[in-house]
Amino acid sequence: MAVDELDTRILRLLLERPRTSVREYARILGIARGTLQARLDRLERDGVITGTGPSLSPAALGHPVLAFVHIEVTQGRLDDVGDALAAVPEIVEAFSIAGGGDLLTRVVARDNAHLEDVIQKVISLPGVVRTRTEVALRERVAYRLLPLVESVGRAARS
């Protein structure tokens, strides 16, 4: 799906002002509300816009410890382990990966003891061979997409 310059301007506004109305977005962009709505609908349909909910802070929810847990899985058990991981609330993301291990998870915890409990729960899952944990000390670059959107917009103008 091709994203043009207007699409990138729309995406930039959504990222910079997520709580603004469609009417206000249209006014800022100088386009008709119907045009904006049609663009938003297409961007959602094409999977560019994947959600509109708030971003939440696990730390503010009482889970300030962040770790990345690499999981090695018995051959043929990847789907089973993935399904089991989905039942662990402290696992906020899980990805199949190539390289060292089969799965990479993002895990949050209340403290280091709680992190150990979560890891022990993961280790006990059928199909898990071993884990390797890396604890994050400080976030250096927060999750962001605006620089990517701006890059796509520059490429669309070229």
Side-chain angles (χ1 to χ4, degrees):
M1 139 35 354
V3 175
D4 65 17
E5 186 178 357
L6 179 56
D7 291 334
T8 62
R9 290 173 54 213
I10 292 168
L11 294 171
R12 180 185 181 107
L13 269 179
L14 289 173
L15 292 169
E16 290 178 337
R17 301 179 184 197
R19 298 184 71 157
T20 303
S21 69
V22 171
R23 178 179 294 186
E24 181 64 10
Y25 287 143
R27 187 193 67 72
I28 292 167
L29 293 167
I31 61 174
R33 185 186 175 287
T35 300
L36 175 63
Q37 190 62 60
R39 292 286 185 126
L40 290 171
D41 292 344
R42 181 179 52 78
L43 290 167
E44 286 182 22
R45 188 174 54 252
D46 291 346
V48 175
I49 297 173
T50 58
T52 57
S55 289
L56 304 178
S57 165
L61 291 170
H63 290 69
V65 176
L66 170 63
F68 299 93
V69 179
H70 298 258
I71 304 170
E72 188 177 320
V73 177
T74 304
Q75 284 189 344
R77 301 294 303 270
L78 192 60
D79 288 340
D80 297 335
V81 172
D83 291 344
L85 293 174
V88 180
E90 295 86 358
I91 296 177
V92 295
E93 289 183 295
F95 301 91
S96 298
I97 60 170
D102 299 300
L103 293 164
L104 174 64
T105 62
R106 181 186 304 249
V107 178
V108 297
R110 292 184 302 273
D111 53 35
N112 287 345
H114 181 224
L115 176 61
E116 181 182 11
D117 293 343
V118 174
I119 293 166
Q120 290 302 318
K121 186 183 302 185
V122 170
I123 290 170
S124 72
L125 295 174
V128 172
V129 175
R130 74 178 47 87
T131 65
R132 181 173 54 91
T133 302
E134 299 167 350
V135 175
L137 300 176
R138 180 181 298 157
E139 183 177 68
R140 298 293 180 168
V141 177
Y143 181 80
R144 77 242 170 95
L145 289 174
L146 187 54
L148 178 63
V149 168
E150 290 172 340
S151 175
V152 169
R154 285 191 296 276
R157 287 191 291 274
S158 300

